[in-house]
Amino acid sequence: MKRSITSIFIAIIILTAPSCTDMITENPSTFLNETNLYSSEEGAQAALTGVYGAMIGYHYSTRSYPIVLMMHSGKFYGDHGASKDLYQLNPLPNGKFLGKMWSDMYRMINRANDVIKNLNESNLDPSEKDPILGEVYFLRAVTYFNLVRMWGAVPLTLEPTTTETLAIPRTPVEEVYNAIISDLENAKSLMHDPSEQRTGRPNKYAAHALLAKVYVTMAGNDNSSQYWQDAYDNAITVYNEGPYDLVSSYSELWHPMKENSVESIFEIQLNREISLRMVLETMLRRYYPNTNTRERVKINKEVYDTHIQMYPEDPRMGISYADSSYIKYRNKGPKELDLYPVNNRDKRGWPGLQKWHVPGISNSKLVNINLPYLRYADHLLLLAEIENELNGPSNAYQYVNQVLARARDIDGDGVSDSPDPADWSGMTQDEFRERIMQERVFELIGEAQTWFDVRRRGYDYFLENVIRKHNNNPNNTDLDFVFPESEKNMLFPIPANEINANPAITPSDQNPGY
């Protein structure tokens, strides 16, 4: 769905203009109103483009969402003053990012609500209407799934906002999840089959894949939960029937010319015009000549240490992490600077995130990289986790070992080039459970997934595997943050601007600890 910024802006104008009809009267013959917008497939597609336009809003997918999830995951370090509260696991309700992100996410939901209502009421032929409608249900489910995991109980609105419905209280978590499941069930029945989907757009198997992740999140750390079976039913459908596969080489995933690959289940379609520069330079800390980006945000040492201790010769190390040294370009010429583990003394004493680096590119505005939301390796690891919870590890190895085999194959020729990471075998159910959660960090670091993964098993898991693992790392120095042992970090604080603006949410409704 590579759209120019002009087409997105046109769709946004079309969708927002009808809300102004009480202030200005337009000639119906020269103005696109809701009736004629939804009377053709072209108009409905423009409305869908408007929903995607809201999803890639500056303070949603383009910048704040991935930035915040990395900074507050407990797996990254940064010394940028405006973000220290997040890196230190002490987020503030009036912090730089949270309020703007909350607003952009609800802007996207309201856009989706408008399209769903109007499409359901339109006379457009179902063969043209249903796939678009299913896609909007899917996108709304994505955003509510993000919201409920980040904030817990959040306002649930499934109809276009009016002056009478501006103030909405927090809705219980269970009700929000019920709405997400309902949207994804609708999406499964309405969305395109893979053979009919457009490049870069999700199909019905993306709805199955997301439902599997929803049910795994709902199951939490209860291995007797019925949700594990619900997750399996959706996950195995994707495995047996979906059109996805692993790309041949792990490094291929991060090449800007190989987006929307066979491994992509759903990736958020960003583009140069909508400031991928911010994603690359501010969020993901790619290093370019004449920039200082790799010096500002780094990966915590215990992440790197754990990975290299478990898999000393894992080829993913050189793809995911910038370590030992790098070349910084200055006016006086290039200078080699040391990084962790060579340097553990000063502000460069951490590994950087290398995964998104494109050699030879000196201007980030020339690069166009999407944000992966669901990819097949993620799904295989999730399916392995589900199978282990239901039946133990015997039949779960096959799924995770596919991911490990690809990691060993540096050049993508189908032959292992390294002994690490070796195939798994001989584990107990508890050992497999512990290892699969760690494997998700190794495979998905820097992809805005880790924040959710380290919290969905509950506070005790988060305490031992994030807070204490970080605080007790023997390689930490006085420059490393000491994380507080506080359950409040399982959720973000409700933004202060929402509490101030929404009379249905008061300070007493704030999440515990804030």
Side-chain angles (χ1 to χ4, degrees), residues 298-306 308-309 317 321-326 337-352 473-477 480:
K298 304 97 173 178
I299 298 172
N300 275 339
K301 299 165 191 174
E302 69 274 6
V303 178
Y304 179 93
D305 292 344
T306 302
I308 201 167
Q309 288 163 12
M317 293 291 297
Y321 309 101
D323 60 356
S324 299
S325 67
Y326 73 102
L337 300 172
D338 292 335
L339 296 174
Y340 187 82
V342 174
N343 176 7
N344 194 28
R345 305 176 305 277
D346 55 37
K347 68 179 183 179
R348 300 185 189 93
W350 288 265
N473 182 20
N475 292 324
N476 284 358
T477 68
D480 287 274

Side-chain angles (χ1 to χ4, degrees), residues 90-163:
N90 187 34
L92 303 175
N94 61 348
K96 177 180 179 181
F97 296 103
L98 296 182
K100 293 177 180 178
M101 178 170 59
W102 174 287
S103 297
D104 263 19
M105 292 170 85
Y106 272 101
R107 184 174 295 112
M108 181 268 168
I109 285 171
N110 197 49
R111 190 79 54 80
N113 290 344
D114 282 333
V115 176
I116 288 170
K117 176 180 183 295
N118 283 288
L119 273 178
N120 276 321
E121 295 176 355
S122 78
N123 293 322
L124 193 62
D125 188 278
S127 65
E128 299 175 333
K129 173 172 66 175
D130 288 354
I132 299 171
L133 187 58
E135 209 164 329
V136 181
Y137 278 124
F138 175 83
L139 297 176
R140 186 170 71 176
V142 165
T143 299
Y144 269 124
F145 189 39
N146 295 337
L147 281 163
V148 74
R149 290 182 292 173
M150 294 166 76
W151 280 285
V154 293
L156 177 66
T157 173
L158 303 175
E159 297 289 338
T161 300
T162 66
T163 54

Side-chain angles (χ1 to χ4, degrees), residues 423-453:
D423 283 355
W424 291 6
S425 62
M427 298 179 190
T428 66
Q429 186 181 49
D430 289 343
E431 288 170 340
F432 192 100
R433 180 184 300 119
E434 180 180 349
R435 285 285 300 276
I436 198 69
M437 297 305 295
Q438 185 61 66
E439 195 63 37
R440 292 185 63 81
V441 176
F442 296 160
E443 175 73 19
L444 302 170
I445 189 70
E447 298 179 46
Q449 297 287 346
T450 301
W451 191 96
F452 302 120
D453 282 334

Side-chain angles (χ1 to χ4, degrees), residues 241-308:
E241 302 176 17
Y244 314 110
D245 201 353
L246 299 175
V247 300
S248 58
S249 169
Y250 187 70
S251 62
E252 184 180 335
L253 284 165
W254 320 115
H255 194 289
M257 300 304 293
K258 297 183 179 180
E259 301 169 316
N260 301 311
S261 69
V262 68
E263 190 160 337
S264 172
I265 298 177
F266 176 54
E267 57 189 69
I268 298 170
Q269 308 291 304
L270 303 175
N271 59 57
R272 292 190 298 272
E273 294 90 342
I274 301 185
S275 75
L276 239 295
R277 177 173 55 87
M278 282 298 181
V279 178
L280 301 176
E281 293 185 358
T282 305
M283 180 192 85
L284 298 170
R285 316 326 309 167
R286 294 177 52 164
Y287 181 71
Y288 294 98
N290 304 313
T291 69
N292 298 318
T293 57
R294 191 173 284 166
E295 297 182 2
R296 291 180 57 191
V297 178
K298 304 97 173 178
I299 298 172
N300 275 339
K301 299 165 191 174
E302 69 274 6
V303 178
Y304 179 93
D305 292 344
T306 302
H307 197 156
I308 201 167

